[in-house]
Amino acid sequence: MGKCFCDYRYLLLIATLPFIYIQIRLFATQSQYADRLAVAIDAETQCTGQTRLLIDQISQQRGRILSLEERRRQDQECKHLRALVQDLERKNLKKFVGDLQVPVAAVVVMACNRADYLDRTIKSILKYQRTVAKRYPLFISQDGSDPHVKSKALSYDQLTYMQHLDYEPVHTERPGELIAYYKIARHYKWALDELFYKHGFKRVIILEDDMEIAPDFFDYFEAGASILDNDKSIMAISSWNDNGQRQFVHDPYVLYRSDFFPGLGWMLSKSTWDELSPKWPKAYWDDWLRLKENHKGRQFIRPEVCRTYNFGEHGSSMGQFFKQYLEPIKLNDVQVDWKSMDLSYLKEDKHVEYFSNMLKNATPTHGADAILKVNNIGGDVRILYRDQSEFEIIARKFGIFEEWKDGVPRTAYKGVVVFRYQGQRRVFFVSPDSLREFGII
């Protein structure tokens, strides 16, 4: 019996061994499948990520395609609109698209505390600006808080009012200087920054609150805008001639280049203001512009007959030179068709030739008694001056401006000052350096 029990346990052990083996194999197989399943899950996750990435890329490409299609559609529409505009222009319907034109320039009147002067200036401008208001939007920029000036400006619906309130104390650099010149310089910088950078104008025409304008003022500056855009040797266009008194002018159609900044009604471009604004002076901004380090050899266009008239006997300069030089100024009264004028002679190379020919045809003379000699000479005359002192003596005898700035006489072009004398004939004040530069000696 005991033997049978022993055999039974032996058989049971033999039967258990395969079972254990099977369990071990089953566990190994399960582990292997679990590893494969984990790898499969990782692969699926990676595949899902790549699929999503591909979907995102496809979406981006689709967006780009749609954007390109939209851009192509807009280009086609623009071409269609351009063709339509050209067709309208061919049919003389330019007025239809006139409202779409960008302004030629903003016009700003710099004011402070002279309400009566400002009113006269605004009325003069509006007389000729109404028909071109969209191309020359009008601004009044007041420095300070004079209530009469503000009220006067706001009484006109045809303009935009700006106010510069500056409470920062002024510290003059030299004793006895007028604070007004420092405030004026601050006001100019603020107003021009506003018009160029806040309002985004490409050009600005600057006037003062004691000026009247000529009938062709806006046409003149439209012609000047083209010169300013295309000739980088020109810094600004001015409507003023310092020697524009009635007795010294004749031809309203003639323009000149000048190395001397005239001011008193002038147009500046944004690209030039980008250069000037960061270094704008604390005071005497107009004389600062006349320094060679600032205009850097660039010149200014000026007319023979002024397109502005300055009636401001009372102001910051206390009427300096008013009776002798400002009151007798001739304001142009001829409606010049500037669009039909050939102004190519104002290009730098052509103007040198143009001016040189006039000088060569002028009868030369010199000496302190030059005015007596001129009276005995018919036609144009050129008078030689050797230095500033001699220039001032001769200029005083004729009655033109004697003043120089940074080595340049007022109105001078390459050292030459020209004005009319006793009618149509020209008188040229010429230095030896000028004659050499124009190839005359």
Side-chain angles (χ1 to χ4, degrees):
M1 182 69 180
K3 183 178 179 181
C4 290
F5 180 75
C6 182
D7 292 339
Y8 175 76
R9 285 191 298 175
Y10 178 76
L11 291 171
L12 183 62
L13 178 62
I14 293 173
T16 302
L17 289 174
F19 177 77
I20 293 171
Y21 174 77
I22 291 170
Q23 290 297 320
I24 292 171
R25 291 294 304 271
L26 181 61
F27 178 77
T29 302
Q30 288 176 341
S31 298
Q32 185 178 9
Y33 276 109
D35 292 340
R36 291 179 180 177
L37 181 61
V39 171
I41 291 172
D42 290 341
E44 183 182 6
T45 302
Q46 185 178 4
C47 183
T48 302
Q50 291 177 346
T51 302
R52 289 176 178 172
L53 180 61
L54 287 171
I55 291 172
D56 291 341
Q57 290 176 347
I58 291 170
S59 297
Q60 290 176 0
Q61 292 296 332
R62 184 183 179 188
R64 290 174 184 171
I65 291 170
L66 291 174
S67 177
L68 289 172
E69 289 178 350
E70 177 66 17
R71 188 178 302 173
R72 184 177 62 181
R73 184 183 64 79
Q74 290 176 351
D75 289 343
Q76 289 175 345
E77 289 179 355
C78 287
K79 289 179 181 178
H80 176 71
L81 287 173
R82 281 196 294 268
L84 179 62
V85 170
Q86 290 172 357
D87 184 57
L88 291 172
E89 288 178 345
R90 282 195 296 269
K91 294 177 180 177
N92 294 321
L93 293 177
K94 294 182 181 179
K95 185 177 179 181
F96 179 78
V97 296
D99 291 343
L100 301 177
Q101 295 177 352
V102 296
V104 175
V107 180
V108 61
V109 179
M110 310 297 286
C112 182
N113 56 8
R114 302 183 294 185
D116 53 341
Y117 278 16
L118 178 62
D119 189 47
R120 180 174 168 181
T121 297
I122 292 174
K123 287 176 178 175
S124 173
I125 295 171
L126 292 180
K127 182 178 179 181
Y128 304 110
Q129 186 255 5
R130 284 190 177 95
T131 58
V132 292
K134 291 182 179 179
R135 294 160 64 203
Y136 295 92
L138 178 59
F139 292 77
I140 303 298
S141 182
Q142 180 187 0
D143 187 32
S145 55
D146 184 288
H148 303 293
V149 168
K150 184 173 183 178
S151 175
K152 179 59 65 179
L154 292 175
S155 69
Y156 288 93
D157 296 331
Q158 303 95 321
L159 56 84
T160 302
Y161 172 75
M162 307 191 305
Q163 187 175 27
H164 176 235
L165 297 174
D166 181 13
Y167 300 110
E168 183 180 346
V170 174
H171 303 287
T172 61
E173 296 182 348
R174 290 173 290 274
E177 286 185 295
L178 289 175
I179 290 176
Y181 291 116
Y182 286 80
K183 287 187 169 293
I184 290 170
R186 289 181 185 179
H187 181 204
Y188 267 75
K189 175 170 169 49
W190 177 85
L192 290 173
D193 279 346
E194 285 284 300
L195 292 168
F196 280 121
Y197 300 139
K198 181 179 178 180
H199 293 278
F201 289 107
K202 187 177 179 181
R203 309 175 199 90
V204 175
I205 300 170
I206 302 101
L207 293 169
E208 296 172 14
D209 62 352
D210 55 1
M211 305 182 78
E212 294 179 334
I213 67 171
D216 64 340
F217 176 89
F218 293 106
D219 289 341
Y220 170 77
F221 275 109
E222 184 163 356
S226 177
I227 297 172
L228 201 59
D229 290 347
N230 297 315
D231 189 343
K232 297 309 176 184
S233 69
I234 296 297
M235 190 173 192
I237 308 294
S238 177
S239 58
W240 185 259
N241 172 14
D242 283 304
N243 292 321
Q245 295 76 22
R246 295 180 187 89
Q247 66 272 27
F248 298 133
V249 299
H250 172 74
D251 193 343
Y253 295 85
V254 172
L255 306 179
Y256 293 100
R257 293 175 76 108
S258 174
D259 297 297
F260 192 98
F261 170 64
L264 293 176
W266 54 291
M267 180 168 63
L268 187 70
S269 68
K270 180 181 179 297
S271 59
T272 302
W273 183 245
D274 289 341
E275 171 195 337
L276 298 178
S277 179
K279 58 179 183 178
W280 193 250
K282 295 179 180 179
Y284 312 107
W285 65 268
D286 46 354
D287 284 342
W288 179 82
L289 278 176
R290 291 163 183 149
L291 298 177
K292 294 172 185 175
E293 65 188 71
N294 294 318
H295 63 71
K296 297 178 180 178
R298 288 167 292 186
Q299 295 172 327
F300 308 90
I301 298 296
R302 68 161 182 88
E304 177 173 316
V305 182
C306 290
R307 264 59 190 186
T308 47
Y309 178 78
N310 187 290
F311 57 82
E313 184 173 4
H314 306 289
S316 331
S317 60
M318 297 179 292
Q320 186 182 25
F321 307 130
F322 182 80
K323 288 294 182 183
Q324 183 177 0
Y325 296 114
L326 299 181
E327 192 174 50
I329 286 289
K330 163 71 174 176
L331 178 65
N332 178 56
D333 55 5
V334 177
Q335 185 63 57
V336 176
D337 181 11
W338 289 104
K339 292 180 182 178
S340 66
M341 294 284 291
D342 180 8
L343 301 178
S344 61
Y345 70 94
L346 292 171
K347 294 180 180 178
E348 191 169 19
D349 53 343
K350 291 188 176 182
H351 200 63
V352 170
E353 182 181 358
Y354 166 79
F355 213 82
S356 177
N357 288 334
M358 288 193 295
L359 285 176
K360 289 175 182 177
N361 292 327
T363 304
T365 187
H366 65 280
D369 61 342
I371 191 168
L372 296 176
K373 295 176 180 177
V374 169
N375 289 330
N376 295 319
I377 297 174
D380 293 350
V381 179
R382 68 172 190 257
I383 301 172
L384 183 68
Y385 68 90
R386 302 190 182 281
D387 52 31
Q388 182 174 345
S389 176
E390 188 173 7
F391 175 92
E392 291 172 352
I393 293 171
I394 301 171
R396 196 173 304 125
K397 291 181 180 295
F398 280 90
I400 67 167
F401 255 106
E402 306 164 27
E403 187 182 23
W404 289 41
K405 294 291 182 182
D406 202 16
V408 180
R410 281 186 182 266
T411 77
Y413 171 64
K414 298 185 182 297
V416 179
V417 172
V418 56
F419 58 94
R420 303 280 182 167
Y421 186 70
Q422 294 180 344
Q424 298 185 28
R425 61 187 183 134
R426 294 181 176 92
V427 173
F428 300 90
F429 288 180
V430 188
S431 71
D433 289 341
S434 300
L435 292 176
R436 281 189 287 271
E437 189 163 356
F438 285 108
I440 296 176
I441 59 172

